[in-house]
Amino acid sequence: MKIGIVNDMPLAVEALQRALALDPELQVAWVAGDGAQALDACAAQRPDIILMDLLMPVMDGVQATRLIMAQTPCAIIIVTSDMDRNTSRVFDAMGHGALDVIDTPRLGAADPHAAAAPLLRKIRNVGWLIGAYDRGRPAQAATAAQPLAAGATPYLIGIGASAGGPPSLATLLGGLPADFPAAIVLVQHVDASFAAGMASWLDEQIALPVRLAVSGERPQPGTVLLAGTDDHLVLHNDGTLRYTREPAEGLYRPSIDVFFNSVARHGRAPAIGVLLTGMGRDGALGLRAMRERGMLTIAQDRASSAVYGMPKAAAELKAAVEILPLDRIAPRLVAALGTAASVQRT
């Protein structure tokens, strides 16, 4: 695969080049010192993946990501050396289509292979998503429907998102009232090291409290929980959330499919599944499993999706009961919960 590097720091560029050199299948296509140079480089030679810095002269990484995705779209991974200071920029860039985020590899590490491994894993995962690698294994099958378990948490809304997800989640959740009477669980494709930053960022954007999900806890009405590790988050038949490494071979970690399938098995109706913008197909099979259990399932529409991959897969599988623009999903959830509450009172 051909990789473009956008970074104005010579030491960071050197660290990235050394990391890429450890994988013979990767080739540096070009290096740009700022976003403006990256636009020109993309127009002349579009790479398979861009490693994009955030803070640069002339044009920063957020603006560069927005323009590249509009003019010469390709896969973008944000590479930053200071996540704590750049949290909002990271998620702004992901809103414009960046697929993932990773720390800059440390130059001069005692074990260069270990230092480069997280970045190389991200690149390989994105390579699978864009078809540059043959994954060599069949797609995960939908879980067969099983009886709903008594005692699970009612009014559970599961939301999955990937590329473009953070600002889309902020928009959707920002449309919900502070007294929204449902538990909400989010599975966003983001590296575990950045999950806490994303939870804090979302917590500042919306009225509902947002925090990382803790293994063994029960989702509570009016609280938003975000999957916070590289393991999969699942709902157990006792209504608690747990983290699990299985399936170990899944491309996506955490996997939306794994979570949605667990809700289909163990969730008490009414449970709702929502699949938002993202590249690939994760979540589509799990959403279909939820629909097959009679649950309301919603997929974001093409026009409002930053990347119309996962919602498109859901539409093709007829996994979504409704396909809605982003700004209509929150009102639909409010209406759905109001209807369910009315039915329960009668």
Side-chain angles (χ1 to χ4, degrees):
M1 286 193 297
K2 295 182 179 179
I3 311 295
I5 297 175
V6 188
N7 201 303
D8 68 323
M9 301 296 292
L11 290 179
V13 172
E14 183 180 353
L16 292 172
Q17 289 175 323
R18 289 189 180 184
L20 296 175
L22 297 174
D23 187 336
E25 297 187 34
L26 304 179
Q27 175 188 350
V28 176
W30 44 258
V31 176
D34 57 50
Q37 292 179 18
L39 283 176
D40 292 338
C42 274
Q45 183 183 4
R46 186 183 310 192
D48 295 298
I49 297 175
I50 294 175
L51 305 181
M52 178 75 72
D53 190 19
L54 288 172
L55 302 178
M56 298 174 291
V58 184
M59 182 187 297
D60 68 13
V62 175
Q63 180 75 344
T65 297
R66 183 181 70 81
L67 293 175
I68 287 171
M69 295 306 294
Q71 298 174 16
T72 54
C74 61
I76 296 176
I77 300 174
I78 301 299
V79 181
T80 177
S81 58
D82 194 345
M83 174 63 183
D84 292 338
R85 293 177 57 188
N86 296 314
T87 299
S88 62
R89 288 188 176 93
V90 167
F91 298 123
D92 285 345
M94 293 180 76
H96 292 307
L99 297 177
D100 213 333
V101 57
I102 190 75
D103 285 311
T104 306
R106 187 162 58 89
L107 190 64
D111 186 344
H113 290 270
L119 173 64
L120 297 180
R121 177 174 60 84
K122 293 283 188 186
I123 291 173
R124 181 165 291 275
N125 283 350
V126 171
W128 277 325
L129 291 176
I130 64 177
Y133 290 113
D134 179 7
R135 287 165 58 182
R137 55 179 178 268
Q140 180 181 345
T143 302
Q146 298 180 17
L148 293 175
T153 304
Y155 303 113
L156 175 65
I157 298 176
I159 305 177
S162 185
S168 297
L169 288 168
T171 297
L172 190 165
L173 297 172
L176 300 177
D179 60 351
F180 187 63
I184 301 174
V185 179
L186 311 178
V187 179
Q188 162 74 44
H189 292 162
V190 66
D191 192 85
S193 60
F194 301 113
M198 179 175 168
S200 297
W201 178 80
L202 269 178
D203 187 64
E204 295 171 355
Q205 309 294 313
I206 69 171
L208 295 167
V210 184
R211 59 178 176 81
L212 296 183
V214 177
S215 189
E217 74 172 312
R218 296 175 184 271
Q220 298 297 319
T223 300
V224 181
L225 301 178
L226 173 68
T229 78
D230 286 332
D231 289 336
H232 307 299
L233 187 66
V234 295
L235 181 71
H236 273 228
N237 59 4
D238 63 357
T240 63
L241 296 170
R242 308 283 177 85
Y243 288 101
T244 175
R245 292 198 56 79
E246 299 300 328
E249 295 183 355
L251 172 59
Y252 308 98
R253 304 191 69 87
S255 166
I256 303 166
D257 270 330
V258 170
F259 179 69
F260 281 176
N261 278 327
S262 74
V263 174
R265 290 194 302 271
H266 303 306
R268 176 192 294 172
I272 301 173
V274 181
L275 190 59
L276 301 180
T277 174
M279 181 176 286
R281 302 181 62 85
D282 190 30
L285 290 170
L287 199 71
R288 186 174 67 180
M290 291 183 67
R291 180 174 187 174
E292 289 172 349
R293 293 309 319 272
M295 300 172 183
L296 174 61
T297 55
I298 300 170
Q300 188 175 353
D301 72 352
R302 179 190 296 269
S304 65
S305 295
V307 180
Y308 191 57
M310 300 189 321
K312 178 182 179 182
E316 290 173 344
L317 289 174
K318 302 188 184 309
V321 175
E322 300 178 18
I323 298 175
L324 299 174
L326 181 64
D327 62 1
R328 288 180 52 195
I329 296 177
R332 180 66 181 96
L333 295 177
V334 171
L337 267 293
T339 300
S342 298
V343 171
Q344 190 178 61
R345 285 196 296 269
T346 59

